[in-house]
Amino acid sequence: MALTRRAFTILKLTSNQSLCRLTRNASAHSKIGDREVVGFGFNGEASYVDRMDCPMPAVRFRSNSKEIQALKEKEKNDWKNLTLDEKKKLYRASFCQTFAEIEAPTGEWKSVVGVSLLGVSLALWIYIWMVKFVYAPLPKTCSEEAKAAQLQRMIDVRANPVYGLPSKWDYEKETWKS
Amino acid sequence: MFRSLATKAYSSTARCLKTNSGFPGALMNQRNMSKHSTETDEEFDARYEAYFNRKDIDGWELRKAMNDLTTMDLVPEPKLISAALRACRRVNDYALAVRYLEAIKYKCGNRVKEIYPYILQEIRPTLNELGISTPEEMGYDKPELALKNVDDIH
């Protein structure tokens, strides 16, 4: 009985429009913690992404700690009074990476090349193994003598004498035309 | 009786016209097609400068305009950048100013050696007046911190 009443209460609660909206908002913001939402970002979602084509994300990178709050108070005065260290702290409170850091090479290409070459060498070893243990030996027509004999035969029977191979053979001097 | 009918007819027609008036396509036989902007460069600059110079601009609007300008195929005029930096001052956001200067440098593309020094030279008075350090002065022209790969954190 108590259980059904509870279920009924939950049903009633979830059907409540305003509560629905409340929980939806809460879930959309649950991932950013207590970080301040300051802008539209790139799609209107409260998220932080360092993008060079869209430099201002929707939320600040760091949450509003005591230290940053104190800095923010100081920021309201003349910026010439800020030290370089404070300026950097302020920047890092709003943003994660500078443009130079976004652009910095990660060195990932090395592992990509390395793993690709590993794959290539594995394929080569498989080929060697196939040649050794799977394939039948090459036919005897592939030997050097057989190929030389084949060439001689083409010259002898004058196969395609106008454009073909025998057109380059000098039949009087018995050599290739220079 | 006739009068009441006429009044009713008038009011319903008026309501009809009223609803239509919000939708120019229905009355003016205008097609909803895209067309090229006829705004000149000077008008564009003036529009954005006026936007940045608004006294009551807030951080949201400022960021939106900066993001929009970054997506466009242009490098903003120095006077626009100065206006944006002053807007940063008004909303008390130092980080935003430096970030925008970085974005400007990025927008210079492969002609950064020609355009960026010119822009810095033009906005130098504003930088000095507001006490904004350029990204170079803050050492942000080179990577300062390494970011740990999120896949390696836990």
Side-chain angles (χ1 to χ4, degrees):
Chain A
M1 185 64 197
L3 220 130
T4 47
R5 193 180 302 149
R6 179 167 293 169
F8 182 69
T9 326
I10 289 170
L11 253 174
K12 213 165 70 178
L13 277 177
T14 45
S15 66
N16 188 333
Q17 278 283 317
S18 62
L19 192 87
C20 270
R21 207 174 310 128
L22 219 125
T23 45
R24 197 165 57 233
N25 277 348
S27 66
H29 284 238
S30 62
K31 286 173 190 156
I32 62 166
D34 59 348
R35 297 187 290 172
E36 192 186 356
V37 179
V38 286
F40 180 77
F42 58 92
N43 62 358
E45 245 172 55
S47 64
Y48 185 93
V49 184
D50 272 321
R51 277 173 58 158
M52 300 179 75
D53 61 340
C54 184
M56 314 304 172
V59 298
R60 290 199 198 279
F61 181 63
R62 288 187 193 285
S63 60
N64 226 354
S65 68
K66 283 271 182 302
E67 190 195 358
I68 288 168
Q69 275 171 18
L71 259 181
K72 286 213 162 297
E73 279 307 309
K74 201 174 173 192
E75 192 184 23
K76 285 178 186 165
N77 303 319
D78 197 345
W79 286 347
K80 286 177 201 134
N81 300 333
L82 295 169
T83 63
L84 185 62
D85 192 45
E86 284 169 336
K87 285 177 174 177
K88 286 188 174 195
K89 278 221 176 72
L90 276 171
Y91 184 92
R92 299 288 181 179
S94 278
F95 305 107
C96 176
Q97 285 185 299
T98 65
F99 272 47
E101 284 160 11
I102 300 171
E103 271 192 316
T106 57
E108 196 190 1
W109 67 272
K110 294 173 204 164
S111 65
V112 171
V113 169
V115 171
S116 313
L117 287 178
L118 270 181
V120 169
S121 60
L122 181 71
L124 282 175
W125 280 115
I126 291 174
Y127 170 71
I128 290 169
W129 180 82
M130 297 278 275
V131 167
K132 230 169 155 45
F133 297 107
V134 180
Y135 296 151
L138 289 175
K140 62 181 180 185
T141 47
C142 283
S143 69
E144 283 302 314
E145 303 92 64
K147 282 193 273 188
Q150 222 167 7
L151 181 64
Q152 189 58 54
R153 166 111 183 125
M154 281 172 81
I155 292 166
D156 290 347
V157 301
R158 301 187 182 226
N160 197 356
V162 181
Y163 297 111
L165 202 130
S167 67
K168 298 190 172 65
W169 181 258
D170 193 328
Y171 283 90
E172 279 156 21
K173 293 182 192 160
E174 296 278 311
T175 55
W176 293 107
K177 285 178 190 167
S178 53
Chain B
M1 178 169 168
F2 183 72
R3 191 166 56 192
S4 77
L5 207 72
T7 326
K8 271 216 173 98
Y10 171 73
S11 69
S12 65
T13 325
R15 205 181 305 126
C16 229
L17 282 174
K18 215 172 185 180
T19 40
N20 276 343
S21 65
F23 185 65
L27 281 182
M28 290 154 71
N29 194 21
Q30 186 185 44
R31 286 190 287 176
N32 290 325
M33 292 170 70
S34 65
K35 57 181 178 188
H36 288 290
S37 167
T38 51
E39 189 180 36
T40 62
D41 287 352
E42 287 73 31
E43 282 166 359
F44 174 86
D45 290 344
R47 179 158 64 87
Y48 265 95
E49 204 180 359
Y51 182 88
F52 283 132
N53 280 337
R54 269 177 44 210
K55 287 286 168 258
D56 58 341
I57 193 167
D58 63 17
W60 197 101
E61 294 164 332
L62 187 50
R63 273 162 232 261
K64 186 82 179 83
M66 284 173 170
N67 275 344
D68 288 350
L69 278 174
T70 309
T71 60
M72 291 175 200
D73 186 15
L74 53 86
V75 184
E77 286 287 320
K79 60 176 181 182
L80 266 186
I81 302 168
S82 289
L85 295 181
R86 283 175 201 285
C88 290
R89 173 66 268 192
R90 286 202 297 284
V91 300
N92 292 320
D93 204 324
Y94 177 81
L96 204 56
V98 178
R99 183 75 159 187
Y100 193 49
L101 289 180
E102 283 188 290
I104 297 294
K105 188 176 181 184
Y106 165 67
K107 285 303 288 180
C108 295
N110 51 14
R111 297 178 68 181
V112 63
K113 289 204 178 88
E114 296 166 54
I115 303 172
Y116 190 58
Y118 162 74
I119 287 177
L120 278 189
Q121 167 205 324
E122 295 292 309
I123 63 172
R124 179 51 68 186
T126 316
L127 294 178
N128 290 345
E129 180 196 331
L130 302 179
I132 299 170
S133 309
T134 62
E136 288 71 32
E137 285 162 7
M138 290 177 70
Y140 285 170
D141 52 337
K142 290 182 184 65
E144 186 185 46
L145 305 173
L147 189 67
K148 208 171 177 186
N149 190 339
V150 282
D151 297 331
D152 297 341
I153 285 176
H154 296 296

